[in-house]
Amino acid sequence: SSRVVEIQSQMSERAVELLGLPEDRPCLLLDVGCGSGLSGDYISEEGHYWIGMDISPAMLDVAVEREVEGDLLLADVGHGIPFRPGMFDGCISISAVQWLCNADKKSHSPPKRLYRFFSTLYTALARGSRAVLQLYPENSEQLELITAQAMRAGFTGGMVVDYPNSAKAKKFFLCLFVGTSGTLPKGLGTECASEELHQAKFTNERTRFRNIKGKSVKKSRDWILEKKERRRRQGKEVRPDTKYTGRKRRPHF
């Protein structure tokens, strides 16, 4: 229906916007789960090139009939992204990645399929580029599973949530960085403070407290709080956090 097309187009625009592409040159983008090529139309309008992958021959037939400008590939992204290293300047995906959480066949392991997808996607993307994947997670466990596999594959970044307080307009965009830790873009309509907590949960914990050389900033307040939290999870006795936690003591004379 036209309403679905309209929502799809809006999400495509938002995903491309979140990619933060350079404005002075055309880019080559990968569209994962491209369907009939609606996102591709927007990418072409913006002067960029694209290759679309989809698992549905019927959807790709529609894309061919519509004479979309991108190249099309019939493939299951759970088997990996079959392109040469560093080929793409960015990747978008609209409403597709959550399907990798389903085990459609006995042989399917969702964590393995997600890891295969993310690790090969990481390789196919140019250093310094981004992947923006809009998805409809069924629950927070699914969100955690998807995010965890992306981080395992080497991505940094996390979830950008647009309109978190609206049941209808709320949208999840997994915004991933390749080889550089960018700043996570702000979600639309997130003027409230509660969303900050939600976003913080999906940051990449491996790189959170590292300085430039990649070492943990040892004995920093963050490092101490992280350690205490780990101990609590192990069920150990830990002193409560206060404003004095991690503060330097004055030197004694």
Side-chain angles (χ1 to χ4, degrees), residues 32-187:
V32 168
C34 63
S36 60
L38 292 173
S39 308
D41 291 345
Y42 178 71
I43 293 170
S44 298
E45 269 168 42
E46 290 290 291
H48 300 297
Y49 300 97
W50 58 280
I51 296 175
M53 293 177 72
D54 205 283
I55 200 170
S56 160
M59 290 298 267
L60 291 177
D61 285 344
V62 176
V64 171
E65 270 166 40
R66 291 179 58 246
E67 298 185 345
V68 297
E69 293 192 15
D71 290 318
L72 304 167
L73 178 67
L74 176 66
D76 173 1
V77 297
H79 295 157
I81 304 294
F83 292 101
R84 60 187 170 75
M87 181 162 155
F88 294 100
D89 301 304
C91 167
I92 67 162
S93 178
I94 307 297
S95 322
V97 175
Q98 73 272 2
W99 297 112
L100 287 172
C101 294
N102 299 354
D104 301 326
K105 300 192 173 80
K106 268 277 197 302
S107 61
H108 280 186
S109 146
K112 278 191 183 142
R113 284 169 58 75
L114 281 161
Y115 180 69
R116 179 110 190 98
F117 164 63
F118 281 122
S119 56
T120 52
L121 175 62
Y122 188 89
T123 304
L125 285 165
R127 303 304 86 177
S129 65
R130 296 180 187 181
V132 176
L133 316 170
Q134 180 273 329
L135 44 98
Y136 288 110
E138 273 179 28
N139 47 41
S140 63
E141 285 79 38
Q142 218 176 61
L143 222 47
E144 299 269 4
L145 171 66
I146 293 169
T147 308
Q149 295 306 324
M151 299 306 164
R152 230 189 103 203
F155 285 104
T156 57
M159 205 58 76
V160 175
V161 187
D162 282 357
Y163 308 112
N165 304 316
S166 155
K168 266 195 164 155
K170 186 176 187 176
K171 294 286 179 294
F172 292 88
F173 294 87
L174 184 55
C175 189
L176 301 171
F177 304 105
V178 181
T180 53
S181 251
T183 327
L184 210 54
K186 282 266 168 284

